[in-house]
Amino acid sequence: MHSITNTELSSHEETRGQFNGGRCAIKIGIDVHQDFYVVVEQVGGTNPKPAQRFHKQAFLHWAAKLKQSGAEVHAVYEACGFGFSLQRQLTALGIVCHVVCPQKLDERNKRMKTDGLDAKALCLRLDRFVQGNRDALAIVRVPSEEEERSRAIHRQREQLVGARKGRSLMVNHGLDPVQNWWSRNGGIAALPVPQWMRELFLNSQPILLALQEKIAALTLQLQSAAAPNQPRGLGKMTSVIIDREIGDWRRFNNRRQIASYTGLCPGEYSSGNTRLQSCVTKHGNPRLRAALVELAWRLVRFQPNYNPVVKWRKILAKGALATGAARKKAIVAVARQLAVDLWRIKTGRLTAEQLGLTI
């Protein structure tokens, strides 16, 4: 009886190595960490090599040597909190680098997860992708440096607003949160607390006041960048946030792509004769999704003739006899259609007036 060995090769890898002319392509799967990278390399259709661990600069030097050998080099890593600097550095070396959505890489459900196994799984998926299977990787669009700079402003403002609240200081001492308790107009003096606790609040007051000044300056900067003649209810801040989170509206080819990017489409679990639609996928940009839902609620008030608002008016109107779940479902539908309509406006397909929006 002949033993069967599992070589974990992609389809046609053995024959590909025999008949491909020229140099074999090199594929690199990278598991990214703050101080180091774990890397698995595959040359042509051979088995992936054992995982290697590099410090950042050492890895770039190693990758540059691979490229200088004249081979076609591809790399992949999962999107993470360390940004897209690695993708840009590898691209500058002439390496084709993809960033993909974080996902479960244990395809065989072995319940084994290590940096080396993750890098190997990414490398094998990259091999299938390079050979033409475009479903092997869920590619993330890498924003330009200019897009990242513009996004950073409102994202920093969002962080400062979260830090300014100071709710925990009051809650930790058994007090109901008081809005703007740190303001200069005597908010702290009016709090019914002992003197020792008031001194703690006074220690935090200068920090929160400084945060408020920074937030006000960023707010003015963002609002001044808003385009004129916005539809009624679409505030300057919201319009800038939506535009900058999208980046380039023209990168979407149809309404399904923009709706999917928002993550406001219903999920689906269907098998045989059973078809079940679940809650929204939340796949995509969470900041964009939050801005669209907030804007949708404003349009219910300020744009009563907007087609989606008219469609869902019986559920969303003030005092309507509808459950909270029904109202949430309706406002998500309005937000999803709003994203599609904003795409139509930004790409010149239709005007705001044609969509029932009042300027």
Side-chain angles (χ1 to χ4, degrees):
M1 181 181 294
H2 297 287
S3 62
I4 300 176
T5 58
N6 179 15
T7 60
E8 296 193 64
L9 295 179
S10 306
S11 59
H12 308 300
E13 286 182 9
E14 291 176 338
T15 56
R16 188 174 73 235
Q18 295 174 16
F19 296 106
N20 272 359
R23 294 182 179 273
C24 294
I26 297 175
K27 282 80 65 175
I28 305 173
I30 311 168
D31 193 59
V32 176
H33 295 270
Q34 184 173 359
D35 299 319
F36 62 90
Y37 304 138
V38 177
V39 179
V40 169
E41 174 192 2
Q42 182 186 24
V43 179
T46 62
N47 281 321
K49 296 181 180 180
Q52 304 178 72
R53 177 168 167 163
F54 293 94
H55 289 290
K56 292 183 176 181
Q57 291 303 317
F59 168 71
L60 293 174
H61 179 70
W62 176 80
K65 289 179 64 177
L66 286 182
K67 185 60 183 176
Q68 289 168 4
S69 69
E72 179 184 347
V73 183
H74 300 260
V76 65
Y77 68 93
E78 290 181 305
C80 57
F82 307 124
F84 300 100
S85 59
L86 176 59
Q87 192 273 347
R88 296 190 180 106
Q89 289 169 335
L90 292 176
T91 300
L93 294 174
I95 296 172
V96 181
C97 183
H98 302 288
V99 183
V100 297
C101 294
Q103 54 199 292
K104 180 181 178 181
L105 297 172
D106 183 15
E107 293 182 349
R108 300 184 181 185
N109 200 27
K110 289 184 175 181
R111 298 188 179 181
M112 293 286 291
K113 177 178 171 57
T114 66
D115 296 340
L117 289 175
D118 286 349
K120 182 178 180 180
L122 285 170
C123 183
L124 290 171
R125 292 188 184 195
L126 176 61
D127 179 66
R128 298 199 295 268
F129 183 84
V130 170
Q131 295 306 312
N133 181 0
R134 295 298 153 177
D135 291 330
L137 296 177
I139 302 294
V140 171
R141 175 182 175 268
V142 177
S144 67
E145 292 188 66
E146 176 58 32
E147 287 175 339
E148 278 202 307
R149 281 194 295 268
S150 64
R151 286 179 183 178
I153 299 173
H154 70 261
R155 291 185 179 185
Q156 184 185 54
R157 179 185 176 277
E158 177 184 304
Q159 293 172 347
L160 294 179
V161 169
R164 183 198 61 185
K165 291 179 180 178
R167 293 169 57 93
S168 61
L169 188 60
M170 305 192 74
V171 173
N172 287 343
H173 293 92
L175 298 175
D176 293 331
V178 177
Q179 190 173 11
N180 296 340
W181 58 266
W182 38 264
S183 62
R184 289 192 176 93
N185 58 2
I188 295 179
L191 293 176
V193 296
Q195 181 59 30
W196 66 268
M197 196 178 294
R198 186 171 286 108
E199 289 176 359
L200 290 179
F201 292 152
L202 286 170
N203 290 336
S204 299
Q205 185 183 36
I207 300 172
L208 296 174
L209 288 172
L211 283 174
Q212 176 60 29
E213 291 179 3
K214 294 294 184 182
I215 292 168
L218 290 174
T219 300
L220 183 62
Q221 180 181 352
L222 290 166
Q223 289 178 341
S224 64
N229 300 323
Q230 298 283 356
R232 190 165 178 260
L234 178 59
K236 293 181 178 180
M237 178 69 69
T238 304
S239 66
V240 170
I241 290 174
I242 291 175
D243 280 342
R244 294 188 177 186
E245 288 296 335
I246 288 289
D248 181 10
W249 288 92
R250 297 186 182 278
R251 64 191 172 97
F252 301 105
N253 297 320
N254 54 58
R255 59 186 178 84
R256 293 181 181 84
Q257 290 181 358
I258 180 66
S260 176
Y261 183 70
T262 65
L264 293 170
C265 297
E268 183 172 348
Y269 184 85
S270 299
S271 178
N273 295 325
T274 302
R275 183 172 184 267
L276 174 64
Q277 286 191 314
S278 60
C279 59
V280 295
T281 63
K282 294 187 178 180
H283 173 80
N285 190 316
R287 289 180 177 86
L288 174 64
R289 186 162 55 250
L292 287 168
V293 171
E294 178 187 344
L295 177 56
W297 280 115
R298 289 209 303 269
L299 294 191
V300 172
R301 175 182 176 186
F302 292 106
Q303 297 284 356
N305 296 322
Y306 179 46
N307 293 336
V309 173
V310 173
K311 178 180 178 180
W312 297 98
R313 180 176 293 155
K314 291 182 179 179
I315 295 177
L316 295 174
K318 187 175 181 180
L321 297 177
T323 63
R327 289 171 65 83
K328 286 181 181 179
K329 181 178 179 180
I331 205 64
V332 164
V334 174
R336 181 172 61 247
Q337 185 59 49
L338 175 61
V340 174
D341 289 341
L342 287 174
W343 166 74
R344 287 167 172 160
I345 294 171
K346 298 293 183 179
T347 56
R349 286 171 168 81
L350 292 171
T351 64
E353 291 82 0
Q354 289 174 319
L355 294 167
L357 293 168
T358 305
I359 303 297

